[in-house]
Amino acid sequence: MNSAKAEEYLRKIKEGQVPSHVAVIMDGNGRWAKKRGLPRIAGHKAGLHTLREIINCADEIGIKIMTFFAFSTENWKRPPLEVRFLMSLPEEYLQKDLPALMEKNAVVKVIGNYNRLPRRTLNAVSHALQATRDNTGLIVIFALNYGGRAEILEAVRNIAAKVARGELTPDQIDEQLLADHLYTGGIPDPDLLIRPSGELRLSNFLLWQMAYTELWFTETLWPDFKREHFLEAILEYQKRDRRFGGIKK
Ligand code: V0D
């Protein structure tokens, strides 16, 4: 799949600066399936193909960090069978793609409260974290059982505990310290958020981290989202960046 449009975008992108960190909300899988008269899980499976294509493309153009919203703390409210199916996807994905990720020298990371996940899912994820921890290429972060407010709360609790133990004083609590206590401690904030499927919200994703992030939305559903959509988003980001270059953070 190498459309002329994608090649044209690629050429233009190479003239500018590629964002270091791109965050993506993989949204619209259920709607994609419904439109085709398929079960929602067929949409999630199709979304897995898009995930592969976008990781390959990000690696090719030299993006350093990709963060994908895979499962939110609110997603537990979905039908139990759908949740079960979703929980099988990390294992399915990693079984098939871990060798390719190793070949790319990619690092897999997970953010979120993932101790609530089924054992098999946890095992597959832990194995990938271990296997890729010393790699030095593209960092692929999956937000799993993630909620932005919960993340900030947990950080605040941990900081408060340090104050209570006398390890910190309140005046030592600044933005940097709070950022260091988030799941993303040590990872630079996203430069660009991509949200497909026509929803125009953050939905509790990386709230603290996206204070200065450029937002890019498209009506395209995640399973229909291709390399050329991704490149279009990057190109648009570069244009904005150029326009506001002097006064950006
Ligand atoms: C479903 C489309 C990869 C969006 C992509 C449990 C919805 C496929 C992972 C994954 C999901 C997670 C952790 C990890 C490696 C891979 C994933 C979920 C859903 C929720 F270490 N795709 N994916 N996780 N979908």
Side-chain angles (χ1 to χ4, degrees), residues 25-30 41 43-52 55 68-72 75 78 82-94 101 108-110 117-118 121 124-126 128-129 140-145 222-223:
I25 301 180
M26 302 190 285
D27 200 9
N29 305 290
I41 60 170
H44 298 316
K45 240 188 151 127
L48 212 48
H49 291 286
T50 303
L51 174 64
R52 295 195 169 102
I55 288 176
F68 295 96
F69 205 173
F71 194 87
S72 80
N75 288 155
R78 294 193 178 173
E82 186 181 341
V83 170
R84 257 180 81 99
F85 180 80
L86 284 167
M87 286 304 153
S88 74
L89 289 177
E91 194 183 1
E92 172 169 349
Y93 169 78
L94 291 167
L101 290 170
V108 175
K109 288 186 187 288
V110 170
L117 304 180
T121 314
V125 169
S126 318
L129 299 178
V140 182
I141 305 174
F142 292 99
L144 256 189
N145 193 19
W222 180 247

Side-chain angles (χ1 to χ4, degrees), residues 42-227:
H44 298 316
K45 240 188 151 127
L48 212 48
H49 291 286
T50 303
L51 174 64
R52 295 195 169 102
E53 184 166 327
I54 298 312
I55 288 176
N56 286 335
C57 188
D59 188 47
E60 263 175 56
I61 66 177
I63 288 171
K64 295 207 160 43
I65 308 164
M66 289 296 301
T67 300
F68 295 96
F69 205 173
F71 194 87
S72 80
T73 48
E74 284 74 43
N75 288 155
W76 294 107
K77 295 179 200 146
R78 294 193 178 173
L81 271 177
E82 186 181 341
V83 170
R84 257 180 81 99
F85 180 80
L86 284 167
M87 286 304 153
S88 74
L89 289 177
E91 194 183 1
E92 172 169 349
Y93 169 78
L94 291 167
Q95 233 161 42
K96 190 148 181 248
D97 286 41
L98 190 55
L101 290 170
M102 288 300 291
E103 198 139 317
K104 283 193 215 314
N105 201 20
V107 184
V108 175
K109 288 186 187 288
V110 170
I111 57 173
N113 188 349
Y114 54 99
N115 53 32
R116 245 194 96 180
L117 304 180
R119 188 51 158 276
R120 282 177 68 105
T121 314
L122 265 183
N123 286 346
V125 169
S126 318
H127 176 252
L129 299 178
Q130 291 292 327
T132 63
R133 61 180 302 158
D134 295 326
N135 289 351
T136 55
L138 174 70
I139 300 174
V140 182
I141 305 174
F142 292 99
L144 256 189
N145 193 19
Y146 174 89
R149 288 185 177 179
E151 176 186 39
I152 294 169
L153 259 177
E154 200 180 312
V156 168
R157 278 207 194 100
N158 289 334
I159 292 168
K162 286 186 186 175
V163 172
R165 290 195 299 264
E167 295 165 20
L168 267 182
T169 60
D171 59 284
Q172 287 176 304
I173 304 171
D174 57 11
E175 290 190 11
Q176 186 60 50
L177 184 107
L178 200 135
D180 289 342
H181 283 76
L182 299 173
Y183 300 128
T184 49
I187 302 227
D189 292 338
D191 301 296
L192 172 66
L193 168 75
I194 297 176
R195 178 157 202 179
S197 94
E199 307 292 348
L200 308 178
R201 299 184 289 276
L202 293 185
S203 296
N204 207 14
F205 189 37
L206 301 174
L207 292 180
W208 174 279
Q209 297 87 339
M210 293 209 286
Y212 296 99
T213 301
E214 294 289 337
L215 311 177
W216 190 83
F217 301 98
T218 175
E219 294 283 333
T220 305
L221 305 176
W222 180 247
D224 292 328
F225 189 94
K226 304 290 168 203
R227 181 186 158 82

